[in-house]
Amino acid sequence: MIVIALGINDAQDPYRTDFAAAYELLIENLPGAPLALATLAPVGSAAKINVAMMSMVDKTIRETASAKQSTLIDLGAIAQFDTVDGMHPRKDARHLWVSAMTAGIKKALSCN
């Protein structure tokens, strides 16, 4: 199983990548294996996020999971957590992210 959880940095103003093209290139070059794609987790008010870009990144991940018939791990369903920079969880909040990822992987592997 391959799990991909990325994209939040692409929603920051300085990054300006073509996320959809880069994401597709990454996935197309992976070996054949079950795939689980994680959406973006919630961000705090301190995050320097371009909201429109974050929405586009999240939509791309969701559409790709659907098109590839991959498991979608919805990190957006996590309750807001304390962060170090508005995006990345503090050490005492990482268990929320880990729990959501673990549940998604178990679902993908039919381990529930």
Side-chain angles (χ1 to χ4, degrees), residues 6-112:
L6 53 78
I8 194 65
N9 290 324
D10 295 282
Q12 294 183 75
D13 281 325
Y15 279 82
R16 297 295 175 223
T17 60
D18 182 349
F19 180 80
Y23 199 66
E24 182 67 24
L25 183 65
L26 169 67
I27 290 171
E28 291 302 318
N29 285 285
L30 294 172
L35 188 60
L37 306 178
T39 64
L40 302 182
V43 296
S45 59
K48 294 179 175 135
I49 295 292
N50 177 318
V51 176
M53 193 68 169
M54 182 175 176
S55 179
M56 185 281 301
V57 167
D58 200 67
K59 180 180 177 190
T60 297
I61 294 167
R62 291 175 186 279
E63 289 176 350
T64 302
S66 178
K68 302 291 183 188
Q69 298 180 335
S70 300
T71 297
L72 182 72
I73 301 173
D74 188 5
L75 296 180
I78 299 173
Q80 186 67 42
F81 48 77
D82 290 331
T83 67
V84 294
D85 59 2
M87 296 180 290
H88 301 97
R90 290 187 186 277
K91 186 175 182 178
D92 62 347
R94 290 182 192 147
H95 70 280
L96 297 169
W97 189 91
V98 169
S99 292
M101 290 296 291
T102 302
I105 293 166
K106 286 181 178 180
K107 178 182 172 188
L109 296 173
S110 301
C111 297
N112 292 338

